[in-house]
Amino acid sequence: MLEPFRAIVDGEEPPPPGARAPDVEELTRALAVLLKGQVIYANTPGIGRSYELARHYAPFFTDYFACLGYALTVSHRDQMVSLTLAQDGPRHDIVAERLRKDETLVLLALRLIYEEGLRDHRVSTDGLVECTTDDVTERIRTAARSDPPEETRLIEILRLIARRGGLRLGERDRAERVTPVSVLPGILVLASDAWLDRLRAWSEAAEG
């Protein structure tokens, strides 16, 4: 990995059109941003050129993260770059953080809301499905048949998922006492089909 890294920062690999080659700090930062965030977008704030570099130098990023057990996916439609792990391999993503029950419920509710948005053609041109914290708590009550976390805890969980690229939080409406939530396509990475299958299997085993 050292030789391809050096080739990029020395400009031996063609830089992005109309842009200069990244320096060592920029390329290192892009790798760290993606590893920490798991899902990044062209408009993710505070990441500098990380999205642009990951997309342009995708072969290098792919090989680098493959050494760590990740697969890199570039979605040009959603302007998103994400990391996924092999289903049976060791996990280092959000799922590996041993989510609490309330965190799992919120993640499931967001996945459901996004799927409903896809089904009902409510996805914006940017790939967003708009909802509110009330919608999240309602899905937990109706779909999971469980009590949702109280508001302060819910916002804390949503911020955790936002840091991983699953959503964006808006400003709380004090009159309505709700917070807008933009569910991003990255929720399909964080709450993947493989994770849902494992969760379903665990639930069935527990009931048995």
Side-chain angles (χ1 to χ4, degrees):
M1 288 295 100
L2 293 178
E3 183 59 27
F5 186 99
R6 183 199 60 76
I8 290 173
V9 299
D10 286 351
E12 295 176 13
E13 289 289 332
R20 58 174 174 78
D23 57 25
V24 171
E25 183 178 348
E26 281 183 310
L27 190 54
T28 300
R29 181 189 185 193
L31 293 166
V33 163
L34 192 51
L35 184 61
K36 181 179 180 181
Q38 191 177 351
V39 182
I40 62 173
Y41 304 87
N43 58 1
T44 298
I47 64 169
R49 299 173 66 198
S50 297
Y51 169 80
E52 173 194 3
L53 296 178
R55 186 182 67 172
H56 182 73
Y57 297 111
F60 164 73
F61 278 75
T62 297
D63 291 344
Y64 177 89
F65 286 112
C67 295
L68 303 177
Y70 290 95
L72 181 88
T73 301
V74 178
S75 174
H76 297 283
R77 182 194 64 185
D78 298 320
Q79 293 190 298
M80 177 181 80
V81 178
S82 62
L83 296 177
T84 55
L85 283 152
Q87 182 172 349
D88 299 324
R91 305 197 67 85
H92 312 285
D93 55 355
I94 189 173
V95 174
E97 297 178 358
R98 297 193 178 186
L99 297 178
R100 298 177 182 178
K101 179 182 178 181
D102 57 358
E103 294 168 340
T104 299
L105 290 172
V106 172
L107 198 56
L108 283 169
L110 292 169
R111 166 74 191 239
L112 178 60
I113 288 170
Y114 196 82
E115 287 183 340
E116 291 173 347
L118 290 173
R119 182 195 65 201
D120 300 336
H121 307 289
R122 291 186 292 103
V123 181
S124 73
T125 54
D126 295 329
L128 312 180
V129 173
E130 302 291 349
C131 66
T132 69
T133 45
D134 274 359
D135 295 317
V136 177
T137 57
E138 180 62 21
R139 294 307 185 286
I140 293 174
R141 288 193 183 98
T142 57
R145 298 180 182 178
S146 186
D147 292 329
E150 49 86 22
E151 184 182 17
T152 302
R153 173 60 180 157
L154 175 59
I155 295 298
E156 179 183 334
I157 296 170
L158 292 174
R159 284 175 177 159
L160 166 67
I161 298 171
R163 287 195 295 272
R164 293 287 188 157
L167 60 90
R168 294 193 198 116
L169 275 177
E171 291 293 327
R172 185 176 186 269
D173 187 320
R174 295 186 178 183
E176 298 293 332
R177 296 185 178 181
V178 297
T179 300
V181 179
S182 299
V183 189
L184 304 175
I187 201 67
L188 301 178
V189 176
L190 303 181
S192 65
D193 290 343
W195 176 68
L196 292 175
D197 289 341
R198 287 195 301 275
L199 196 63
R200 188 178 299 112
W202 174 85
S203 176
E204 291 172 354
E207 291 176 358

